[in-house]
């Protein structure tokens, strides 16, 4: 099987991350396995769209386009998928940089024709220069990074993590695109789980599909100071609970919470025990990490209960779209399913 052409999609929304966006694009252009193209999808920000179009007007390998759907990360990704030309579409956060072999590791995973998605490892880059003493590695997903508890190496998983992930184009043909109504929308509540819902939907549409994480496909993700604070930690944990409730109502609690059960019954208790042990040994932050894990679990559980109650009262408004590519990579994302998610 020939090596796949890979399009890279970077969704952007604010000029506050201008230098980060330029660094992200530069890291893609420096790959040992060259990308076919980089698509910058701008989320309803005309000034940023114009500025980026001017920055890359002479670049044949970078295209700048506007989000063709509703505001938010999912619609931006769908716009990039539809406009891309690669057999594989990779996604990189706008405030992250990829290591030189990032795309090479993705490409290696697709040597097996059953593989429909490959994700990688995301390392935090703390604005303060170091991890806060109280911040547990088990909760690095709060800042969009790989967390303690994921298995090492190249392993099969239920879902990849959206800021460092790739999919075969045929995955979107089988399952549709990212669901709108789930996930990030600019600076609103920090929801997530759109990639979880997509991956579960994909494996239902293609039961033979294999999804992998390869921890050699590394990116480095900037964590601003505001996200190093406990207030953000708590808000993100609550939002994750809300998001998980939405996913569970869409795909059923069995699949929607399959990985979370192991995480909460094995990974987190071990993290609490480590924190308490460190506290007894006089190591900095041990008690804080143990307390943060407990607080994070309780806050996420509260969000899950609230999200479930809201869904039962008013239904769950989200859309799964069909992403269509046309000749030359110009495509569109049209609504394929709309309305309430059903209990599984």
């Amino acid at each position: 099987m020939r090596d796949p052409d890979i399009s890279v999609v970077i969704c952007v929304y604010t000029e506050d991350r201008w230098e980060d966006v330029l660094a992200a694009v530069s890291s893609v252009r420096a790959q040992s396995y060259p990308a076919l193209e980089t698509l910058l999808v701008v989320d309803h920000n005309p000034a940023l769209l114009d500025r980026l179009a001017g920055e890359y007007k002479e670049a044949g390998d970078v295209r700048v386009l506007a989000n063709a759907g509703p505001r938010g990360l999912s619609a931006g990704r769908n716009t990039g998928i539809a406009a891309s030309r690669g057999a594989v579409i990779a996604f990189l956060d706008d405030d992250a940089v990829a290591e030189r072999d990032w795309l090479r590791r993705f490409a290696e995973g697709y040597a097996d024709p059953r593989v429909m998605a490959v994700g990688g490892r995301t390392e935090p880059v703390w604005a303060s220069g170091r991890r806060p003493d109280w911040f547990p590695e088990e909760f690095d997903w709060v800042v969009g990074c790989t967390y303690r508890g994921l298995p090492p190496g190249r392993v099969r998983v239920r879902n990849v993590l959206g800021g460092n992930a790739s999919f075969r184009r045929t995955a979107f043909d089988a399952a549709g695109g990212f669901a709108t109504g789930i996930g990030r929308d600019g600076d609103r509540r920090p929801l997530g789980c759109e990639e979880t819902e997509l991956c579960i939907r994909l494996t239902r549409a293609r039961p033979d599909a294999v999804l992998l994480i390869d921890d050699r496909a590394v990116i480095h993700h900037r964590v601003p100071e505001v996200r190093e604070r406990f207030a953000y930690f708590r808000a993100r944990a609550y939002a994750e609970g809300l998001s998980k409730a939405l996913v569970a109502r869409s795909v059923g609690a069995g699949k929607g919470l399959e990985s979370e059960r192991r995480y909460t019954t094995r990974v987190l208790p071990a993290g609490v025990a480590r924190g308490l042990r460190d506290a007894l040994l006089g190591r900095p932050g041990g008690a804080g990490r143990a307390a943060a894990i407990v607080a994070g679990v309780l806050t996420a559980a509260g969000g899950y209960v609230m999200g479930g109650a809201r869904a039962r009262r008013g239904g769950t408004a989200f859309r799964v779209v069909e992403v269509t590519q046309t000749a030359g990579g110009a495509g569109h994302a049209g609504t394929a399913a709309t309305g309430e998610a059903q209990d599984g």
Side-chain angles (χ1 to χ4, degrees):
M1 175 177 284
R2 65 182 295 270
D3 293 335
D5 290 331
I6 303 179
S7 297
V8 177
V9 174
I10 303 174
C11 295
V12 303
Y13 72 98
T14 175
E15 290 182 86
D16 293 342
R17 293 185 177 179
W18 178 257
E19 295 299 331
D20 294 328
V21 173
L22 299 187
V25 173
S26 292
S27 75
V28 175
R29 298 174 100 177
Q31 289 295 299
S32 62
Y33 184 101
L36 175 66
E37 59 188 346
T38 300
L39 293 91
L40 290 171
V41 183
V42 183
D43 192 18
H44 298 269
N45 186 333
L48 179 58
L49 180 70
D50 290 344
R51 189 178 180 190
L52 285 170
E55 179 72 22
Y56 292 107
K57 64 181 178 181
E58 304 295 336
D61 60 335
V62 179
R63 285 195 281 156
V64 179
L65 55 155
N67 179 3
R71 185 182 300 275
L73 182 57
S74 289
R77 286 173 173 165
N78 291 337
T79 297
I81 295 163
S84 64
R85 296 178 289 123
V88 169
I89 300 98
F91 299 94
L92 179 66
D93 276 345
D94 63 344
D95 53 355
V97 294
E99 291 193 0
R100 180 170 168 76
D101 290 333
W102 177 60
L103 290 182
R104 182 175 300 281
R105 300 308 182 189
F106 281 172
E108 290 170 354
Y110 292 106
D112 182 343
R114 299 173 302 162
V115 173
M116 289 287 111
V118 183
R121 185 173 87 248
T122 303
E123 297 286 349
V125 180
W126 304 95
S128 63
R130 61 188 295 273
R131 174 186 296 275
D133 287 340
W134 63 269
F135 202 114
E137 292 182 27
E138 291 81 1
F139 272 77
D140 276 5
W141 55 262
V142 163
V143 292
C145 295
T146 300
Y147 55 90
R148 182 193 288 256
L150 286 176
R154 184 195 286 173
V155 293
R156 191 166 180 172
V157 292
R158 179 195 66 180
N159 64 274
V160 296
L161 304 179
N164 180 8
S166 64
F167 293 84
R168 283 194 198 274
R169 179 174 301 282
T170 52
F172 302 111
D173 296 338
F178 289 92
T180 59
I182 307 176
R184 296 294 183 109
D185 177 1
D187 293 320
R188 292 173 57 187
R189 187 186 296 278
L191 300 172
C193 294
E194 65 274 13
E195 65 274 5
T196 301
E197 192 275 339
L198 170 62
C199 289
I200 294 172
R201 186 165 18 100
L202 171 59
T203 53
R204 286 184 167 180
R206 289 281 304 270
D208 61 331
V210 173
L211 284 64
L212 302 174
I213 284 182
D214 187 336
D215 67 4
R216 298 171 302 167
V218 181
I219 70 169
H220 299 269
H221 185 269
R222 191 172 68 82
V223 182
E225 287 189 13
V226 67
R227 296 187 182 185
E228 296 184 11
R229 300 171 187 164
F230 184 71
Y232 180 83
F233 178 93
R234 185 174 55 192
R236 180 68 185 87
Y238 183 77
E240 184 74 3
L242 292 174
S243 302
K244 283 289 188 285
L246 184 59
V247 171
R249 189 159 177 81
S250 170
V251 302
K255 269 293 184 185
L257 299 177
E258 184 179 55
S259 297
E260 288 73 15
R261 290 191 180 93
R262 175 187 174 277
Y263 174 72
T264 55
T265 59
R266 296 175 60 183
V267 174
L268 295 185
V272 172
R274 261 192 309 274
L276 294 176
R277 181 197 62 200
D278 287 348
L280 290 173
L281 293 174
R283 296 170 181 165
R289 289 191 295 274
I293 290 173
V294 174
V297 170
L298 294 176
T299 304
Y304 184 85
V305 171
M306 181 61 71
R310 289 178 181 174
R312 287 191 296 272
R313 281 200 307 269
T316 308
F318 72 94
R319 294 183 180 88
V320 176
V321 301
E322 180 181 354
V323 180
T324 304
Q325 182 200 29
T326 60
H332 72 277
T335 301
T338 307
E340 293 185 5
Q342 302 299 316
D343 287 314

